[in-house]
Amino acid sequence: MTVDIPYEVWSSWGDGELAARVAAFAAALDAHKQTVNVPRPVENGLVEQIVAAGGMSKVTLLPPPGPVAQPAPPGVTYKADIWRRTTDAEADVLDAVIDQVSARLRRYYEGAAYLDPRDADFPMLRDAMAAALAQLMGSAAAANARTAQILAPS
């Protein structure tokens, strides 16, 4: 039998305190075997459970929980979808645009898993994309329509 202990419980005991209490309680139970009409020692429930299981060697420390992934809000465009929707020529142009925008805007784009049209910086990215595609396509109207297709929600 093993005892699984969540990381939060383990860390609440302090450095080495749980192991010391388990050892002391196991020793107290061994000593109690030599007594007559003496109440059995009592300890914290977790300590008793560990001793009953066979000691600290039977403890499994569960890892701390990792960060909980938050789902993207509706209406966003995953960056991977942007690249899937572009042609090779469009991808080359857009990649060059990313290299030319301000460091702040470039870091915003590079650090995001998705683009949210509600974000204050989204219009700047959309406009930079449309301007670059207009040079490639020769038409601002066609570039705006294509940009809308590329940035459509995932």
Side-chain angles (χ1 to χ4, degrees):
M1 176 173 124
T2 63
V3 180
D4 294 338
I5 301 178
Y7 179 82
E8 298 79 19
V9 172
W10 175 268
S11 63
S12 71
W13 278 85
D15 191 30
E17 181 180 347
L18 183 59
R21 298 248 314 250
V22 166
F25 185 61
L29 288 178
D30 283 342
H32 180 260
K33 292 177 184 175
Q34 306 302 320
T35 64
V36 177
N37 295 327
V38 175
R40 176 185 174 278
V42 179
E43 191 27 294
N44 174 282
L46 178 60
V47 172
E48 290 206 16
Q49 185 180 4
I50 294 170
V51 170
M56 292 301 290
S57 65
K58 300 297 183 177
V59 169
T60 301
L61 177 61
L62 301 177
V68 177
Q70 297 296 323
V76 300
T77 305
Y78 288 99
K79 286 185 358 188
D81 288 341
I82 292 171
W83 298 112
R84 283 186 194 102
R85 294 171 182 167
T86 60
T87 64
D88 287 343
E90 290 169 339
D92 289 341
V93 168
L94 295 179
D95 195 45
V97 168
I98 291 168
D99 289 340
Q100 294 173 4
V101 297
S102 69
R104 184 185 67 77
L105 197 56
R106 187 172 56 252
R107 295 292 180 239
Y108 158 70
Y109 179 80
E110 290 171 352
Y114 57 85
L115 301 181
D116 188 336
R118 297 167 293 192
D119 188 284
D121 290 324
F122 184 84
M124 286 186 282
L125 286 170
R126 182 196 59 225
D127 294 348
M129 180 182 285
L133 291 177
Q135 291 179 353
L136 178 69
M137 301 173 84
S139 165
N144 285 333
R146 183 65 180 133
T147 299
Q149 289 174 339
I150 293 170
L151 293 177
S154 294

